[in-house]
Amino acid sequence: MKLYAIETGHFKLDGGAMFGVVPKSLWSRTNPADSNNMIDIAATSLLIEDGDKLILIDTGLGNKQSEKFFSYYYRWGDHTLDKSLAEHGFHRDDITDVFMTHLHFDHCGGSVQWNKDKTGYETAFKNARFWTNREHWDWAINPNAREKASFLKENLLPMQESGQLHFLERTNNRHFYDELNFEVLFVDGHTDKQMIPIIDYKDKKLVFAADLLPTAGHVPLPFVMGYDTRPLLTLDEKKTFLNEATENNYYLFLEHDAHNEVIDLKKTEKGVRHHNTYTFKELFN
């Protein structure tokens, strides 16, 4: 098995929305805001080369939305999914599986693209199986008013219409999937049935933290996103996860942190806190 960090593109989000009820005077210490109150956000995917499988976890925003849509998110930098894949010697047609932690546009937008003449949409990975779970799929295609703007039908329906969509069966809150060769933790605070991959790599456990822990600044328990649909449940899920991660020396891959690729944790008198920051290459290459 080999692991690769895939940079799909950077953007910005409102700092207040990213930290909910936490005052700016606190969250800005770790995630400083610009003059528009926007903070730096990454959309970093993880590529797993495992035998004859090439599994991509999450696909970023993609590039098919309108100029008006992207104007809300202040994209910055020159990273693209195709460029990052090519740097590691891969092409999107090599991808055998796309695992989506959840179906918000910043996690699955890159799974679907315009067709050649821009008359409709097609899947962006023509040889891949797309993985979600039935409960989350149903939640996404019949969205509540709070999440409707995050679940875009053009990101979802082409995967189903192509016949490439597959559902992982959820038997409990944690399950090892042989077809992917990693364990999945199901969490419901951010959105219903978000899936968090836990990957055994050599002598390490790497957790793709997705929106359970978007940045290093979100480690303290009360630092919960305003986007979460069930913030009190997020508190419980974070507490359980952070204690386990600390006790077992997990490394956390931070999909949305533009400045801390991988971190580990430590216990302090104030609770679990961010300990060390690592580049992905120093740990996994």
Side-chain angles (χ1 to χ4, degrees), residues 157-176:
L157 297 183
M159 291 186 283
Q160 184 181 54
E161 293 164 355
S162 71
Q164 293 171 260
L165 184 67
H166 294 262
F167 296 114
L168 294 167
E169 295 298 324
R170 177 178 173 268
T171 56
N172 48 51
N173 284 338
R174 200 157 176 163
H175 191 85
F176 184 88

Side-chain angles (χ1 to χ4, degrees), residues 46-215:
L46 180 66
L47 185 66
I48 304 172
E49 185 180 15
D50 190 11
D52 59 355
K53 291 184 178 179
L54 201 59
I55 304 169
L56 184 65
I57 299 177
D58 282 355
T59 59
L61 284 79
N63 57 14
K64 66 183 175 299
Q65 304 304 139
S66 68
E67 184 176 339
K68 180 180 179 181
F69 177 92
F70 285 122
S71 71
Y72 301 136
Y73 300 104
Y74 302 87
R75 290 185 294 176
W76 57 279
D78 60 356
H79 296 297
T80 69
L81 189 149
D82 287 310
K83 179 181 176 181
S84 192
L85 284 174
E87 288 173 354
H88 297 294
F90 300 112
H91 185 273
R92 64 175 60 228
D93 292 349
D94 300 325
I95 304 299
T96 62
D97 298 86
V98 174
F99 176 95
M100 295 166 290
T101 60
H102 59 297
L103 297 169
H104 288 166
F105 67 83
D106 55 323
H107 293 260
C108 76
S111 298
V112 173
Q113 62 189 8
W114 284 109
N115 61 16
K116 188 173 182 180
D117 55 5
K118 287 197 172 184
T119 58
Y121 301 106
E122 63 186 12
T123 57
F125 303 90
K126 65 181 183 181
N127 298 314
R129 298 177 294 177
F130 292 86
W131 294 100
T132 183
N133 64 82
R134 173 72 69 177
E135 293 89 346
H136 184 63
W137 176 261
D138 291 343
W139 181 270
I141 62 172
N142 299 291
N144 59 75
R146 184 180 175 89
E147 289 182 278
K148 188 174 182 179
S150 293
F151 292 128
L152 307 180
K153 291 192 182 300
E154 61 267 32
N155 287 338
L156 308 180
L157 297 183
M159 291 186 283
Q160 184 181 54
E161 293 164 355
S162 71
Q164 293 171 260
L165 184 67
H166 294 262
F167 296 114
L168 294 167
E169 295 298 324
R170 177 178 173 268
T171 56
N172 48 51
N173 284 338
R174 200 157 176 163
H175 191 85
F176 184 88
Y177 291 98
D178 291 330
E179 53 267 69
L180 298 168
N181 197 26
F182 57 73
E183 189 176 14
V184 171
L185 171 67
F186 290 83
V187 288
D188 300 302
H190 177 62
T191 188
D192 202 55
K193 305 301 179 291
Q194 181 183 192
M195 299 190 293
I196 305 298
I198 303 172
I199 300 153
D200 285 308
Y201 180 71
K202 297 183 179 178
D203 60 343
K204 302 179 179 70
K205 271 195 185 294
L206 178 67
V207 179
F208 188 91
D211 280 346
L212 176 61
L213 197 76
T215 77

